[in-house]
Amino acid sequence: MRLTFRRHGLPDDGRALVAEHLAVWRQLDDDERQRLLELTDALLSHKQWEAARGFALDDTVRVVVAAQAALLVLGLGVDHYRLVSGIVVHPSTLETAGVRAGPSLGTVTADHLAVVGLAQDGRGPLVVAWDEALAGAHRLQRGHNVVLHEFAHKLDMLDGVIDGTPVLDADARATWTAVCTEVYRDLVAGVPRPPLRDYAATNPGEFFAVATEVFFEQAAELAAYEPALYHVLQGFYRQDPAERDARPPRSD
Ligand SMILES: [Zn+2]
């Protein structure tokens, strides 16, 4: 008798699910696609995936969330998610009316109505709403992507503090701080800095998360309006989404 062991990594139809639901898939070259699938497989295999009560995770849910998280670290690697112990998926927008703690403890943010829960050591699970995650994958709301947003908070936390500055070497950190502070101060003062939305002025942690969404989802606009900010994000993420989005979409 032969026992088969099923590893809960990328399912057989995983590539097809990514191709169906991730708008960015059409912009990726072969190497990027391969890497995206490998990272997706690693996240599915090594993180705890849970459904909120009353919801069930199927392959589509797990793959679509994991693949977007994989896109964020395409140039960094899955080790950058070492603070992500698990992902909890809710069926829909969470009710968070009236709650607006910062992004540090037990955290709730009201703009995208998704919750990041943190354990004391920062290894708490990440929570996303499936309807928002699916809309983000299909790029239905320009500049918004809840998966990129919440996983960006986890990258920010890697150095132990949510301050809008991820782990960078000293030179890059000085430039990063100067560039981000200049934009952030304007937003706090009520001076529009499109395509960043007002929510970026909430605190430096939200600034980084919103800037990340815009960097990936409105890359051409960000590069045009805020070239210095685009440049520091490009240096950190080791990706050039504006170049990618300018490619002719692939049909395969
Ligand atoms: Zn946030």
Side-chain angles (χ1 to χ4, degrees):
M1 184 178 163
R2 194 173 158 193
L3 294 173
T4 54
F5 171 72
R6 190 185 184 289
R7 196 173 64 96
H8 292 280
L10 196 69
D12 291 343
D13 62 346
R15 182 191 168 100
L17 290 170
V18 174
E20 180 183 350
H21 293 292
L22 262 71
V24 74
W25 181 256
R26 294 189 289 276
Q27 306 305 129
L28 301 180
D29 65 28
D30 285 342
D31 287 347
E32 290 165 336
R33 285 181 170 187
Q34 181 61 31
R35 184 153 175 73
L36 185 83
L37 294 176
E38 286 169 7
L39 290 165
T40 303
D41 177 67
L43 289 170
L44 292 172
S45 301
H46 302 309
K47 304 299 181 189
Q48 188 88 25
W49 290 83
E50 290 175 42
R53 201 143 54 117
F55 190 52
L57 296 190
D58 60 17
D59 283 344
T60 302
V61 173
R62 297 189 317 131
V63 168
V64 169
V65 173
Q68 292 178 84
L71 178 72
L72 190 67
V73 294
L74 206 59
L76 296 172
V78 77
D79 184 55
H80 276 72
Y81 286 151
R82 57 189 179 271
L83 291 184
V84 180
S85 58
I87 297 96
V88 180
V89 187
H90 285 252
S92 183
T93 298
L94 305 169
E95 289 300 324
T96 61
V99 185
R100 221 178 218 283
S104 48
L105 283 176
T107 290
V108 178
T109 56
D111 68 330
H112 42 66
L113 300 170
V115 180
V116 180
L118 299 178
Q120 281 187 322
D121 63 356
R123 288 180 169 274
L126 185 152
V127 182
V128 294
W130 167 237
D131 56 356
E132 298 257 342
L134 184 61
H138 284 275
R139 292 185 158 171
L140 295 183
Q141 233 194 320
R142 281 189 67 67
H144 288 256
N145 185 301
V146 68
V147 176
L148 298 180
H149 182 110
E150 300 305 344
F151 277 84
H153 281 317
K154 284 291 191 180
L155 298 180
D156 189 359
M157 271 171 224
L158 265 185
D159 57 2
V161 54
I162 300 189
D163 58 357
T165 306
V167 177
L168 295 162
D169 65 38
D171 283 353
R173 190 178 174 90
T175 307
W176 176 283
T177 304
V179 168
C180 293
T181 301
E182 191 271 324
V183 179
Y184 178 69
R185 282 191 178 145
D186 262 3
L187 289 169
V188 170
V191 179
R193 296 292 292 256
L196 295 165
R197 59 183 188 272
D198 294 347
Y199 190 69
T202 305
N203 58 49
E206 294 307 331
F207 177 85
F208 173 59
V210 170
T212 294
E213 289 178 83
V214 172
F215 175 67
F216 282 93
E217 299 300 336
Q218 286 180 281
E221 290 94 324
L222 188 68
Y225 284 94
E226 299 287 355
L229 181 58
Y230 185 89
H231 188 72
V232 295
L233 286 162
Q234 183 185 357
F236 170 64
Y237 281 112
R238 299 179 199 165
Q239 298 191 55
D240 189 354
E243 179 274 322
R244 199 157 64 204
D245 283 350
R247 297 172 193 165
R250 297 172 62 172
S251 55
D252 61 328

